[in-house]
Amino acid sequence: MADDSDIGGTIAGVREVGDALTAMERRVDAATIKALKASQRVTRTAIRGRMRGRPRWGHRGASARTGPNITVDRQAGHITRSGGPGKLSGALLVSIRSSKAPRRKAAGLSAVVMSGGASGPQNLYKKIVEARFPYFATGAKAAEAKLPKIWADLWAKAVHDPDSS
């Protein structure tokens, strides 16, 4: 019978591996926050871009309130107010905003892009405008195509060890 002998060994570098994983985790968390903010910025820009169309009509005749006659190079004569939303501006355009800081949820982080606030005049008509001329849903859908690349690029940089380059 063979003797039962203990085989021993020493593993070096356990602490360094743990430190490297901790540093990588911090970089990934920072990259996640950057990616959330970049996603918000791209989405907010795409939504606002859907609200900045060309004006649909001109006002005819000078007045003290509107200034000189304005022509938007549309058909001459009477122009009916139909078609796309044209240019949406004012309170509704300014109300397209995002949360300032991502919030920690149970499983991760959360950030939002919203239209309107808790109160304000834009809340009275944003649903009506969205129903007739969808700007929010179409802008969010257009931004969705760009988001995977943002996340992949930022996470790839976070996982890559900056000391090995």
Side-chain angles (χ1 to χ4, degrees):
M1 274 196 148
D3 291 345
D4 291 333
S5 58
D6 291 331
I7 298 176
T10 306
I11 299 175
V14 174
R15 182 176 298 137
E16 290 81 6
V17 169
D19 292 344
L21 288 174
T22 302
M24 187 188 330
E25 186 177 349
R26 285 189 190 126
R27 288 193 312 266
V28 168
D29 285 347
T32 301
I33 291 172
K34 276 185 178 180
L36 275 172
K37 289 186 176 203
S39 299
Q40 285 178 312
R41 187 172 49 253
V42 165
T43 305
R44 189 175 60 235
T45 303
I47 292 168
R48 284 184 177 173
R50 298 289 190 269
M51 301 173 80
R52 291 190 180 118
R54 190 168 175 221
R56 290 184 292 146
W57 57 82
H59 66 270
R60 295 179 301 275
S63 73
R65 183 179 59 82
T66 61
N69 186 21
I70 293 177
T71 305
V72 292
D73 298 326
R74 300 289 187 185
Q75 59 193 3
H78 180 71
I79 301 170
T80 59
R81 294 187 179 201
S82 63
K87 182 176 280 193
L88 299 172
S89 60
L92 189 59
L93 179 70
V94 175
S95 75
I96 305 297
R97 57 194 176 86
S98 56
S99 57
K100 292 189 183 225
R103 295 183 181 201
R104 294 239 178 239
K105 294 289 183 180
L109 295 166
S110 171
V112 298
V113 175
M114 63 193 100
S115 174
S119 63
Q122 69 277 8
N123 284 334
L124 300 175
Y125 59 87
K126 68 183 179 185
K127 289 180 183 176
I128 298 167
V129 174
E130 174 71 16
R132 283 188 66 201
F133 312 114
Y135 61 93
F136 199 93
T138 57
K141 188 167 178 71
E144 268 184 42
K146 300 175 184 176
L147 301 184
K149 183 175 180 353
I150 291 171
W151 285 85
D153 291 347
L154 288 170
W155 277 351
K157 285 180 188 175
V159 173
H160 175 65
D161 185 13
D163 298 332
S164 68
S165 12

